[in-house]
Amino acid sequence: MRKTSWILLLIWSMSTNLSMAESWAFVGVNVIPMDEAKVLKQHTVLVEDGVITGVGPVGSVPLPAGVRRIEGEDRYLMPGLAEMHAHVPQPAQGSDFQEQVLALFAVNGITTIRSMLGHPQHLELRETINSGAHPLAPRVFLSGPSFNGNSIDGVEDARAMVEDQKNQGYDFLKLHPGLTLEEFDAMAEQAQASGMVIAGHVPLDVGLARALEVRLSSIDHLDGYMQAVLNVPEGETAPDTFFGVFASPFADIEKIINIATQTAEAGVWNVPTQSLIENVFSTEDPEVLAAWPEMRYMPAGTVLNWANSKRSLLSDPRFSASVSQQTIFVRQVLIKALHDAGAGLLLGSDAPQVFNVPGFA
């Protein structure tokens, strides 16, 4: 969706190192409260010590002495958005790119991100940001380095890595594919004992049922769901691929309803990252996606890599327009079923990732 309206961004402690102890009044703004479909025209929003203490039509909210006044000039004011599957670039990608990504989130109204692949350097960066000392960035919740088939070798290794990441100060644990069931169970047991939560992928050896039983904090990309809703005829084999996408023709809609109910009962949230999946698995020409206006904010080499990865998929003999359509449709049905069942859904795009530019995605 292309953005068409100007938004006045309320970004605390970012652009000018604002003191949370100060009082601020946003006057003459059109407030989008987001608790229902309405716009509060020509309002004043008063913020004191970092807390909204007054909202009302212009002239109706008493302003304290010394308040710092910002004229809205009929622009729009809304709560900051949260990107629940983001990536702070790794140090090897360069500090300039790291700063660019953080700024792109912030200026697009993303005031909180959940960074899904942490690095020790990110710990210091997080503290700088969250203390208000960083010039322009969203608040960061940070995972530790990934638990995966390459980083973990046995159950004791899994337990030790949980404790190490807790002691280093990461906010949560990131799960990637490759763990055995025994390693996963050890990780989950130690995480519970240590007060840490797990978010991310569902390893094939673990499966969705076990992930729901353990009650992961979130499952990202709907990983594991496609495999859980297949109905494969006898004598046939469903392809075992990236998020099970090539197996989508075997998806059973009735199983989708059941698994959505089980997810809601388990209290597990999902971050579908549907924009990523639709970018990757649509039949759209990569050149069209690479020409989107926001691509100018990404390094040319990054956009080229994204285009090449999509060309590679389009040339895969298993890929077709019907598989593309079915994959996107099944995921849409699953997202709707999760919503209808009362399971929690979180917005996330995996940015920066294939044609998903931070903030715009």
Side-chain angles (χ1 to χ4, degrees):
M1 187 172 92
R2 308 273 76 84
K3 295 183 176 177
T4 57
S5 61
W6 288 95
I7 301 294
L8 178 64
L9 302 179
L10 178 56
I11 305 175
W12 294 114
S13 301
M14 291 180 184
S15 59
T16 56
N17 293 326
L18 308 181
S19 169
M20 296 297 281
E22 293 180 300
S23 297
W24 295 78
F26 297 82
V27 181
V29 292
N30 302 316
V31 179
I32 306 175
M34 296 180 72
D35 58 343
E36 58 181 285
K38 64 183 178 184
V39 178
L40 306 177
K41 295 281 190 178
Q42 284 295 300
H43 269 53
T44 293
V45 176
L46 176 63
V47 182
E48 299 177 279
D49 298 334
V51 177
I52 296 174
T53 59
V55 179
V58 171
S60 69
V61 178
L63 302 182
V67 67
R68 301 191 65 174
R69 181 177 174 126
I70 296 177
E71 300 298 335
E73 299 178 347
D74 206 33
R75 291 187 174 89
Y76 290 82
L77 180 67
M78 61 181 284
L81 302 174
E83 160 68 270
M84 296 300 285
H85 193 116
H87 286 279
V88 175
Q90 299 293 300
Q93 295 175 275
S95 60
D96 288 347
F97 185 52
Q98 197 174 72
E99 296 298 314
Q100 173 87 342
V101 164
L102 291 169
L104 284 170
F105 282 126
V107 300
N108 280 285
I110 308 295
T111 56
T112 299
I113 64 171
R114 193 173 66 146
S115 182
M116 296 298 294
L117 191 59
H119 181 280
Q121 183 261 352
H122 294 164
L123 291 166
E124 182 179 352
L125 179 65
R126 180 194 62 187
E127 296 313 308
T128 301
I129 293 169
N130 293 353
S131 70
H134 195 282
L136 189 63
R139 179 176 55 172
V140 175
F141 292 92
L142 182 63
S143 87
S146 165
F147 286 71
N148 60 68
N150 294 320
S151 66
I152 297 299
D153 184 16
V155 296
E156 294 306 317
D157 199 21
R159 293 182 187 277
M161 190 165 166
V162 170
E163 281 303 293
D164 180 56
Q165 292 196 6
K166 175 183 173 61
N167 292 336
Q168 289 188 63
Y170 291 104
D171 296 307
F172 63 100
L173 309 174
K174 169 64 183 287
L175 180 62
H176 260 130
L179 266 63
T180 66
L181 178 58
E182 292 76 15
E183 290 168 341
F184 171 81
D185 285 346
M187 175 192 180
E189 182 179 328
Q190 190 64 42
Q192 183 176 29
S194 301
M196 297 288 283
V197 299
I198 304 171
H201 294 246
V202 176
L204 284 174
D205 284 357
V206 174
L208 183 61
R210 180 59 179 153
L212 295 179
E213 186 178 13
V214 169
R215 299 191 174 189
L216 296 186
S217 176
S218 76
I219 294 174
D220 293 62
H221 314 294
L222 298 178
D223 197 14
Y225 277 84
M226 189 70 77
Q227 292 88 342
V229 301
L230 298 181
N231 188 359
V232 183
E234 186 175 351
E236 295 193 50
T237 302
D240 180 18
T241 56
F242 179 67
F243 301 144
V245 292
F246 291 130
S248 60
F250 297 105
D252 186 327
I253 300 301
E254 291 187 7
K255 286 189 176 183
I256 288 178
I257 303 300
N258 291 335
I259 204 66
T261 301
Q262 292 171 30
T263 302
E265 291 173 349
V268 172
W269 291 66
N270 270 273
V271 190
T273 64
Q274 184 71 358
S275 62
L276 170 67
I277 299 301
E278 295 195 11
N279 286 348
V280 173
F281 291 100
S282 74
T283 56
E284 188 69 80
D285 186 334
E287 295 302 322
V288 172
L289 301 182
W292 283 354
E294 61 264 34
M295 295 304 149
R296 68 184 183 272
Y297 297 113
M298 291 287 97
T302 297
V303 177
L304 178 61
N305 288 338
W306 291 348
N308 287 338
S309 69
K310 185 164 179 64
R311 289 190 192 95
S312 177
L313 175 69
L314 293 175
S315 65
D316 190 308
R318 297 168 297 179
F319 184 83
S320 65
S322 63
V323 167
S324 167
Q325 183 178 20
Q326 182 70 5
T327 294
I328 293 171
F329 171 72
V330 169
R331 288 177 59 91
Q332 289 173 339
V333 170
L334 178 54
I335 292 168
K336 181 64 162 58
L338 289 166
H339 173 72
D340 289 344
L345 292 168
L346 299 166
L347 290 176
S349 70
D350 207 7
Q353 187 57 275
V354 184
F355 298 113
N356 271 346
V357 175
F360 294 88

